[in-house]
Amino acid sequence: MRKKEYNLALSKITMQLLFWLIINLTYICAQSRSRYSDIPRIDVHTHIGGDSIGIVNFLKVRKILIETYNVDLAMFIDVGTSENQIPDLNKSIYVSKSRVFTCISDFSAHDGLDISPKDLHVWLDKGYVGYKIWAGPYYRRLGEREEGFRYIDNIVHEPTFAEMERIGMVAASIHIADPNGPYGKRTEWLSDPVEYWREITAWRHVLERHPNLVAVAAHGNWLVCQDAQLDYLRNMLATFPYLYVDLAATFQYFYLLDHENLRDFMIEWADRILYGTDISTFSDSKEVKLYAERYIRTFKILETNEMVEGGFFGSNPIQGLSLPRDVLEKIYYKNALKIYPNLKDQLSELGYRVK
Ligand SMILES: [Zn+2]
């Protein structure tokens, strides 16, 4: 081959290689960035605590998400921690331009709720956006103790729910039961289906007594680990128009459900589902990247049809749901703006165009 022909062939190969590289890079970039960058996201179920280090680390996660996946985790609701300490809203981290909202909370309902019903409106007026109550399996709190209130429908809690219903205080990410998987995969959390249904039924009693209580049941009301549970959740949502669910810590159980059933559920009940993760506060800034990756996994599950390795927790492969835009908008932020106080105004103040 003459030198001229040789050079021509070489440049042809170089051009082909370059073209191949550009195509692949474009593909990789498209894969690693959300198609829905313009939809703000609100995580309604976090435990980032009242401490500023946790919140600062959390804001770093937000920054990474913008840089790597081009999505905006616009706001978070802190539902408190098991110490039942209520964060001080006067701290600088909460005041103007804040992306953090917080709740009053009680993680030991089995020993009686600490906050007096007559004080609830004071907290609401101060800017706390809801009342988080943990009412999971009683033995996780009471152990072997006989005394205590095993179920959420205990009459002792009635004045609290009645007052919340009256003043419009949201039952924020109220925790009912624990995950109960299908036979053979029951989960370590609540392996006994008889006890599981006692807890679910007790919650139903509360909603029957307080039909106007706006409640966000945490973790999909823990009715998301079997297809029949999902049908029961359909029944709950159809019966109680002010019942909502958050998705915190549910993603890792999606593999237990029929993919089409779950997708249909999300589309049918999109008005009543809120995005959440259950992220806890963390002090090690090295974990920032790890948590950002976990967030991205949940976004991919909701937005794409990719096979995703794990949810926010866990590592089971989960088939993405590829939900339509209008469904994503409701789940990511519109439903949250509808039910929690103050969020909509704050989002506008931060410069978002809120319809
Ligand atoms: Zn939680």
Side-chain angles (χ1 to χ4, degrees), residues 45 47 79 132 219 278:
H45 187 146
H47 301 276
V79 297
K132 155 83 176 183
H219 317 296
D278 212 11

Side-chain angles (χ1 to χ4, degrees), residues 14-27:
T14 313
M15 285 301 283
Q16 277 170 349
L17 267 172
L18 206 65
F19 183 69
W20 178 86
L21 200 68
I22 290 167
I23 292 290
N24 277 283
L25 275 175
T26 312
Y27 178 75

Side-chain angles (χ1 to χ4, degrees), residues 97-111:
K97 294 283 176 193
S98 174
R99 296 179 181 275
V100 190
F101 286 83
T102 196
C103 297
I104 50 172
S105 59
D106 198 318
F107 284 75
S108 34
H110 304 87
D111 286 314

Side-chain angles (χ1 to χ4, degrees), residues 126-313:
K126 280 184 186 168
Y128 294 82
V129 297
Y131 189 10
K132 155 83 176 183
I133 296 170
W134 196 96
Y138 66 88
Y139 46 81
R140 280 181 62 191
R141 290 293 188 269
L142 298 177
E144 297 295 309
R145 283 191 287 145
E146 284 291 321
E147 73 275 19
F149 312 112
R150 292 190 169 188
Y151 300 103
I152 193 65
D153 61 344
N154 194 296
I155 207 76
V156 76
H157 302 313
E158 275 308 291
T160 299
F161 288 122
E163 183 63 2
M164 290 168 75
E165 185 182 27
R166 193 183 75 79
I167 65 173
M169 180 130 200
V170 178
S173 295
I174 187 158
H175 186 122
I176 303 298
D178 267 353
N180 181 256
Y183 183 77
K185 293 178 180 170
R186 290 291 194 209
T187 85
E188 66 199 273
W189 298 99
L190 183 41
S191 55
D192 176 3
V194 177
E195 173 55 31
Y196 167 82
W197 283 106
R198 278 190 192 126
E199 293 167 21
I200 297 290
T201 308
W203 172 230
R204 190 175 185 112
H205 293 158
V206 173
L207 295 172
E208 281 166 355
R209 289 175 194 155
H210 305 284
N212 295 314
L213 176 71
V214 177
V216 179
H219 317 296
N221 208 133
W222 278 133
L223 283 162
V224 290
C225 296
Q226 300 181 27
D227 283 304
Q229 288 176 5
L230 207 58
D231 280 354
Y232 190 79
L233 184 52
R234 287 179 167 103
N235 174 285
M236 292 278 280
L237 292 167
T239 309
F240 306 108
Y242 298 110
L243 174 66
Y244 296 78
V245 293
D246 77 39
L247 294 176
T250 63
F251 297 92
Q252 76 264 34
Y253 297 109
F254 284 179
Y255 80 101
L256 295 170
L257 298 166
D258 179 273
H259 178 260
E260 284 307 307
N261 185 21
L262 177 61
R263 188 170 187 276
D264 276 4
F265 170 82
M266 293 280 204
I267 293 169
E268 186 186 357
W269 292 101
D271 287 325
R272 314 276 285 281
I273 302 168
L274 295 98
Y275 178 77
T277 60
D278 212 11
I279 186 172
S280 291
T281 190
F282 58 99
S283 51
D284 187 349
S285 58
K286 290 194 201 102
E287 291 180 82
V288 166
K289 203 162 165 266
L290 181 88
Y291 281 111
E293 281 163 12
R294 288 179 175 204
Y295 269 103
I296 291 171
R297 292 209 296 259
T298 65
F299 298 145
K300 282 189 174 173
I301 290 169
L302 297 174
E303 295 171 26
T304 76
N305 59 5
E306 289 174 39
M307 209 58 179
V308 183
E309 298 294 316
F312 196 80
F313 302 101

